[in-house]
Amino acid sequence: MGNALVHEASGFINFRHYTFEDPREHGFRWVDSKHLRLTGEASGDVQLLAALIRHEQFRDDYAGGGVLADGPRHGPYWLRLITPAVYETVSPEKGAGILRKWVGPREKVPADLEADLQREVFDRVAAADHIFYLGELGDKALHDWGRVHEEFHEFVLIDRSAGRITLLVAADD
């Protein structure tokens, strides 16, 4: 295979660890990121998305089970129904806009959370060469308990200059 992905690191921002004026504001929101190093020769975006979908780190239901090497789920969806074709290309502005709307008004976000989101989420979106967004796949793609998330936003950030793909999931449950 011309391109392989090696898991480098993961990050997790849990909104519950920050102090909100109104404790109900965080709504059990979180951001999970998985950083994978590109190895081998560079491939096209479709090949990189396919390699990511095949990677063990992609087998995460994001509902407390963690990564399951043989898991059949990805987020709220059946893994077998996720292909590169279901992702749409978005601009950094559109990606940041989706995430900003999900986070909520800046004046309600604690300053330390805003700083962490800027560094770990928004700066990475701005630096990406290509951004892919996994939109709503419909009821037939939902797995047996796929409605556990109120909102589920997934982005694949390809940063060729850093030699990295970041799988970024922002959700609330």
Side-chain angles (χ1 to χ4, degrees):
M1 166 168 269
N3 202 328
L5 301 174
V6 177
H7 181 245
E8 282 188 317
S10 295
F12 192 76
I13 299 174
N14 188 336
F15 283 38
R16 285 184 278 185
H17 295 162
Y18 300 88
T19 305
F20 285 81
E21 274 185 40
D22 180 348
R24 296 169 295 180
E25 281 292 323
H26 66 73
F28 301 103
R29 286 181 280 173
W30 47 264
V31 177
D32 184 282
S33 56
K34 293 176 174 57
H35 310 289
L36 298 106
R37 170 79 44 207
L38 298 171
T39 62
E41 64 186 60
S43 291
D45 293 341
V46 172
Q47 291 82 14
L48 290 175
L49 282 170
L52 176 64
I53 292 166
R54 286 189 307 271
H55 198 280
E56 177 180 283
Q57 290 295 314
F58 198 78
R59 286 154 175 72
D60 193 331
D61 58 30
Y62 297 102
V67 174
L68 300 172
D70 295 323
R73 297 174 184 86
H74 174 76
Y77 304 115
W78 290 112
L79 178 63
R80 71 181 184 278
L81 299 176
I82 298 178
T83 67
V86 300
Y87 286 87
E88 78 175 275
T89 302
V90 297
S91 68
E93 296 78 18
K94 182 172 181 178
I98 291 167
L99 289 162
R100 181 54 62 198
K101 183 178 178 188
W102 172 78
V103 168
R106 286 186 184 194
E107 63 272 6
K108 291 189 176 189
V109 177
D112 53 346
L113 173 57
E114 183 65 36
D116 288 346
L117 289 169
Q118 185 62 48
R119 183 183 66 255
E120 296 299 323
V121 176
F122 294 105
D123 287 351
R124 292 182 192 278
V125 168
D129 300 315
H130 295 97
I131 302 171
F132 297 91
Y133 180 61
L134 180 65
E136 174 63 42
L137 299 183
D139 289 342
K140 291 184 183 206
L142 290 171
H143 61 67
D144 45 351
W145 43 268
R147 294 207 186 276
V148 70
H149 303 290
E150 289 183 32
E151 288 192 53
F152 184 87
H153 300 284
E154 176 178 310
F155 296 86
V156 176
L157 312 175
I158 299 175
D159 185 343
R160 290 184 190 274
S161 65
R164 176 178 300 126
I165 289 183
T166 298
L167 175 60
L168 185 69
V169 173
D172 45 286
D173 45 34

